[in-house]
Amino acid sequence: MRTDVIIVGAGAAGLLAAVAARRLGHEVLVVEADAAVGGTTATTDGALWLPANDLMGRGGIPSDSPDDALRYLNALATPESPVFAARRAAFVRTAAALGRWLSTSKIALEVIRSLPDCRPDADGAAAQGRSVRVRPVAAKLDEQWLGRVRGADPAKSRPGLLARLASPFRHPGLLSGGAALVSELLRRALGSGVELWLEAPLVGLQVDGGTVTGVTVQRDGQRVEVQAARGVMLACGGFEGDQSLRQEHLPLPTSSAWSVGLGAEGAALAAGAQVDAAVAGLDQAWWTPVLLADGVAHKVDAARVAPHSLIVDQAGDRYLNEAQPSVLAGRRMYEHNRGMRSVPSFLILDSRHRKAYPLGPWAAGTSPKAAIESDELVRAGSLDELAQTLGVDRAGLIGSVVAFNQLAKRGKDTDFGRGDSAWDRYFGDPLLRRNPSLGAVNKAPFWAVRLYPGDSGTKGGLVIDERSRVLRADGTAVPGLWACSASAESVFGPAQPAQGAGLAAALVEAYRGVLDLSGQLDRIDEVLG
Ligand SMILES: Cc1cc2nc3c(=O)[nH]c(=O)nc-3n(C[C@H](O)[C@H](O)[C@H](O)COP(=O)(O)OP(=O)(O)OC[C@H]3O[C@@H](n4cnc5c(N)ncnc54)[C@H](O)[C@@H]3O)c2cc1C
């Protein structure tokens, strides 16, 4: 079989690459391992970090420039190789153009109001406006395809007239976030003649004299070879779901059960190995502290930022700003674990927290019986009892809580700076005026969960250049092969610039790769300046 372009993976990056390649006149085949479309993307909030996007500079949102964004990225701890410098510059130059591409494709974006970059005090940071998302949309896919978008419920995705009349402003039943982005891209892909094979995992690349000429996929129990006249784009995620790759590359201890990612198993790494592609950053992930409920990992972003909570290690000592961005918090858990035992750590809450804020899968105000019985959620009448049940040093825990409560009373965390940055305050409780993320932990009963350094996907992968071409160790490009998103090393290195940075980089890399394989990238870069 023959086509022009083969895209491996039908998340947002793969679908955007497919639509863009089709518009440039190519025949396109997307091969997807799963029975559903949308990958991780469809299950997320779908935030996109697009510096200098067209919504900035209007409606009270400050204006922005790619240069400011580049200064900001340079201020974060990102790797300093020339390839990285070129990739960062290409990202900030292309991000706004990608926003325009989505808008002219009638995929409308809206600013996530008041959400700052993760490091609001760094040079070039923006107070708001760079993080955007796709506006909620009515699902316009036919029933059969809508049922195949991961996370979309066809029964709930078509607002009836009554629902719309009842709540015209709240968009009942509309698709939102990543599911909206995926369904809109899928509709355009199918409408423009992109061929999409589900349950067709990549088995390997076809290689001829060092040039990638196609792929082998498993389909209907058979191996099928497909040739690609223009090239192959890997958009099939990282390796968070493969325990042996985790143990080989990520800091220890590690477990695929701690990942809230899709569970990608390193297909891109295996494909890259066939053509001696270079790999980098394999010890990094999009870290995020997680709790386990029924053995399944859940983020605790809202719970750890909300007041009336603190995190301690196994000696009962507080050791981090609980409200910091997730990648920094997760990495800190590992760093601290080198000296003190902090895997797992403990998130300690008082009764006000449990009444007012959700905790992983458990809604505010609930006492989930099964979780309490299985000891995944611990409840105790006193801190003494809590320490004993958790096996934490009693004096350490009580001392930490007493010290924490004094800081909370003053509204200033002089130990770890919780609530100092606009980022911490954005996610705190606005009802606490002095410090939205700091409140005493002193009302029984007390609660606790074990926290693990989980992830929402890996960050290392194939080395690519600013054209998304896969590179060998000597810096030369592998002809016929492009990669993007978690299949490649993150353009941000270990850093977390902002909410939506991962997905934005995924789409920018997919877009630039398709322009490159079409011979259009230089022309576009000239226009972008
Ligand atoms: C809980 C959570 C929340 C997140 N929130 C955000 C956010 O708000 N903003 C943000 O920027 N990022 C967020 N992220 C990260 C973000 O989801 C990813 O950066 C983004 O989805 C990557 O898109 P993608 O298309 O590359 O990957 P995916 O959407 O994961 O798609 C990859 C596809 O490849 C397929 N695949 C895997 N192996 C094979 C194979 N062998 N053959 C064929 N196909 C294969 C998979 O089945 C999948 O469909 C979040 C992640 C998680 C887990």
Side-chain angles (χ1 to χ4, degrees):
M1 295 186 67
R2 294 189 68 81
T3 188
D4 293 333
V5 179
I6 297 172
I7 317 274
V8 183
L15 290 172
L16 183 132
V19 175
R22 190 74 198 102
R23 281 192 194 159
L24 289 165
H26 306 306
E27 277 186 19
V28 183
L29 169 66
V30 178
V31 294
E32 164 59 49
D34 209 273
V37 184
T40 323
T41 319
T43 63
T44 71
D45 292 346
L48 281 165
W49 190 62
L50 300 179
N53 68 70
D54 289 354
L55 298 169
M56 300 186 77
R58 305 194 232 156
I61 306 291
S63 57
D64 190 22
S65 74
D67 286 346
D68 285 347
L70 189 56
R71 279 208 326 284
Y72 175 64
L73 285 182
N74 289 342
L76 307 184
T78 44
E80 275 317 319
S81 71
V83 172
F84 259 104
R87 283 184 67 194
R88 280 204 297 272
F91 172 79
V92 296
R93 227 172 36 222
T94 315
L98 178 80
R100 279 193 288 282
W101 186 93
L102 290 168
S103 301
T104 53
S105 306
K106 301 217 164 17
I107 300 178
L109 301 174
E110 63 186 13
V111 163
I112 305 177
R113 289 259 163 191
S114 307
L115 178 61
D117 291 345
C118 281
R119 299 270 301 276
D121 305 322
D123 184 26
Q128 61 171 323
R130 287 178 179 162
S131 292
V132 300
R133 68 183 154 220
V134 172
R135 281 210 196 136
V137 286
K140 295 186 199 119
L141 282 167
D142 68 39
E143 210 79 2
Q144 185 206 359
W145 277 107
L146 185 58
R148 289 189 184 145
V149 173
R150 187 186 293 273
D153 179 349
K156 291 188 189 153
S157 303
R158 291 187 199 284
L161 183 62
L162 271 181
R164 272 190 267 172
L165 286 175
S167 184
F169 302 113
R170 295 186 60 206
H171 312 294
L174 299 190
L175 289 174
S176 62
L181 175 62
V182 163
S183 73
E184 287 295 281
L185 288 171
L186 176 61
R187 191 161 67 86
R188 280 153 186 80
L190 297 171
S192 63
V194 167
E195 193 166 354
L196 174 53
W197 292 357
L198 296 178
E199 297 180 270
L202 175 77
V203 175
L205 299 174
Q206 298 282 312
V207 185
D208 185 2
T211 297
V212 174
T213 55
V215 298
T216 305
V217 297
Q218 188 78 19
R219 199 181 186 216
D220 296 333
Q222 289 183 340
R223 293 203 163 193
V224 182
E225 290 179 8
V226 191
Q227 299 296 311
R230 286 275 178 170
V232 173
M233 160 85 71
L234 299 173
C236 50
F239 62 89
E240 70 276 3
D242 186 300
Q243 182 61 20
S244 59
L245 285 173
R246 289 181 77 97
Q247 277 176 229
E248 192 179 339
H249 299 294
L250 295 179
L252 298 174
T254 187
S255 169
S256 54
W258 301 346
S259 180
V260 294
L262 187 65
E265 291 178 341
L269 290 181
Q274 275 186 265
V275 286
D276 294 325
V279 291
L282 297 181
D283 57 343
Q284 300 295 330
W286 294 93
W287 306 116
T288 186
V290 295
L291 61 77
L292 296 180
D294 216 5
V296 176
H298 294 265
K299 285 188 179 204
V300 291
D301 288 347
R304 68 186 165 84
V305 178
H308 313 298
S309 67
L310 78 161
I311 294 175
V312 297
D313 62 18
Q314 292 172 24
D317 292 329
R318 189 167 173 241
Y319 65 93
L320 81 175
N321 167 7
E322 293 86 350
Q324 66 191 302
S326 53
V327 170
L328 302 180
R331 191 180 312 126
R332 186 78 196 98
M333 289 179 76
Y334 271 121
E335 285 165 1
H336 189 73
N337 196 49
R338 286 188 209 131
M340 303 300 295
R341 283 193 297 163
S342 52
V343 180
S345 290
F346 301 95
L347 175 63
I348 312 286
L349 323 167
D350 80 359
S351 64
R352 282 171 296 184
H353 187 295
R354 195 69 278 278
K355 275 186 198 143
Y357 312 112
L359 174 61
W362 306 305
T366 57
S367 294
K369 207 168 157 221
I372 294 170
E373 277 171 8
S374 67
D375 207 29
E376 280 176 328
L377 177 60
V378 176
R379 181 175 55 187
S382 66
L383 287 172
D384 233 345
E385 186 191 336
L386 193 71
Q388 203 175 358
T389 314
L390 295 173
V392 172
D393 183 82
R394 179 186 159 277
L397 177 64
I398 293 176
S400 295
V401 173
V402 168
F404 180 78
N405 289 348
Q406 280 166 359
L407 300 176
K409 203 169 161 194
R410 290 204 296 270
K412 179 84 184 149
D413 176 11
T414 44
D415 287 349
F416 298 103
R418 174 169 171 175
D420 283 357
S421 97
W423 172 268
D424 298 2
R425 291 194 293 277
Y426 177 86
F427 289 99
D429 186 335
L431 293 177
L432 266 81
R433 293 249 174 86
R434 230 166 9 154
N435 190 332
S437 79
L438 207 57
V441 176
N442 55 12
K443 293 267 186 284
F446 298 96
W447 299 79
V449 286
R450 288 168 190 80
L451 286 191
Y452 300 88
D455 63 83
S456 48
T458 46
K459 265 184 163 229
L462 305 178
V463 174
I464 59 169
D465 65 8
E466 78 286 1
R467 311 177 84 88
S468 303
R469 297 180 302 187
V470 173
L471 302 183
R472 303 186 189 94
D474 63 6
T476 57
V478 177
L481 189 62
W482 287 258
C484 63
S485 190
S487 295
E489 183 189 17
S490 169
V491 62
F492 307 119
Q496 180 184 14
Q499 187 92 338
L503 187 52
L507 300 190
V508 163
E509 287 157 8
Y511 181 59
R512 290 184 64 83
V514 164
L515 289 172
D516 189 53
L517 66 77
S518 305
Q520 306 284 330
L521 185 58
D522 291 326
R523 188 177 60 79
I524 298 289
D525 273 348
E526 242 172 65
V527 176
L528 295 177

